[in-house]
């Protein structure tokens, strides 16, 4: 185990902590860009063989839509690239992904997800572990990515703290939810 709890899958080997830390630094940089634009500080980067294939921050405020999660946008950008080894690729994200983003990662055939902050309402790791445990062996093409986290939790928590603190006494449900992720006193209103 490295950087926190690790949930393993038989689909990916050769986990490199230094590569995971580098990938998470990239995701944190993208999350900061989102925070600067008024978005939740959720950044995502798809990397394979040390190369960034796609990156984005969430754009729910910018686009005024809900289905523009950072992970989906980064996966979409990566999917447009040609000739990359999908199974050896990793999605780095500053927040444990939701079910929709786990499904998109699996559909894109990306081998791993590495997250920074755990989200009790998203639970990507548990979803993948339970799926793999109950998956019929005659369906080998149905694969969920290996999920690892937390990696880079402290700097990601600082970004979420900045997001919450910048919004004063907001009743915005996104602010209240973000506060729960970091144990901020504003979570209980």
């Amino acid at each position: 185990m490295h950087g926190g709890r690790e949930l393993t899958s038989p689909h990916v080997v050769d986990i490199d902590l230094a590569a995971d830390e580098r990938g998470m630094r990239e995701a944190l940089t993208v999350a900061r860009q989102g925070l600067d634009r008024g978005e939740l500080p959720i950044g995502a980067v798809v990397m394979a063989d040390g190369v960034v294939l796609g990156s984005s921050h969430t754009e729910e405020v910018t686009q005024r839509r809900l289905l523009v999660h950072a992970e989906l946008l980064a996966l979409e950008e990566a999917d447009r690239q040609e000739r990359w080894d999908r199974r050896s690729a990793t999605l780095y994200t500053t927040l444990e992904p939701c079910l929709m983003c786990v499904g998109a990662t699996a559909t894109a055939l990306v081998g791993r997800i590495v997250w920074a902050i755990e989200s009790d309402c998203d639970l990507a790791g548990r979803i993948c572990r339970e799926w793999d445990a109950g998956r019929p062996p005659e369906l080998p093409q149905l694969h969920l990515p290996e999920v690892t986290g937390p990696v880079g939790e402290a700097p990601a928590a600082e970004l979420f703290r900045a997001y919450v603190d910048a919004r004063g006494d907001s009743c915005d449900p996104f602010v209240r939810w973000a506060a729960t992720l970091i144990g901020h006193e504003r979570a209980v209103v």
Side-chain angles (χ1 to χ4, degrees), residues 52-189:
V52 174
L53 300 167
S55 66
S56 187
H57 55 77
T58 190
E59 294 192 9
E60 293 170 340
V61 172
T62 306
Q63 293 193 32
R64 298 178 189 253
R65 299 185 316 124
L66 295 176
L67 299 180
V68 286
H69 291 197
E71 299 88 347
L72 294 177
L73 297 172
L75 287 163
E76 183 178 356
E77 183 180 342
D79 190 49
R80 291 185 176 132
Q81 307 298 320
E82 293 183 16
R83 298 188 180 144
W84 53 284
D85 183 1
R86 292 172 180 272
R87 293 279 190 215
S88 72
T90 301
L91 170 67
Y92 295 95
T93 180
T94 56
L95 182 67
E96 185 175 15
C98 69
L99 178 59
M100 175 177 63
C101 292
V102 168
T105 306
T107 300
L109 304 176
V110 171
R112 296 181 62 226
I113 298 172
V114 177
W115 52 264
I117 294 180
E118 184 174 24
S119 175
D120 288 339
C121 64
D122 292 319
L123 301 169
R126 189 172 99 196
I127 291 166
C128 291
R129 184 179 63 244
E130 290 177 6
W131 169 271
D132 275 344
R135 181 184 57 200
E138 64 274 7
L139 300 175
Q141 76 279 11
L142 297 178
H143 146 80
L144 289 183
E146 174 185 329
V147 179
T148 302
V151 173
E153 182 176 26
E158 285 303 315
L159 292 176
F160 275 90
R161 194 166 288 106
Y163 174 83
V164 171
D165 290 346
R167 277 142 187 86
D169 292 326
S170 175
C171 292
D172 181 333
F174 283 124
V175 175
R176 292 179 66 189
W177 169 74
T180 68
L181 297 171
I182 55 172
H184 198 286
E185 62 274 3
R186 192 167 299 137
V188 181
V189 176

Side-chain angles (χ1 to χ4, degrees), residues 1-4 14-23 25 92 112 148 150-151:
M1 175 154 70
H2 70 279
D14 193 26
I15 297 170
D16 179 356
L17 179 57
D20 284 352
E21 289 172 344
R22 177 177 173 253
R25 281 192 302 273
Y92 295 95
R112 296 181 62 226
T148 302
V151 173

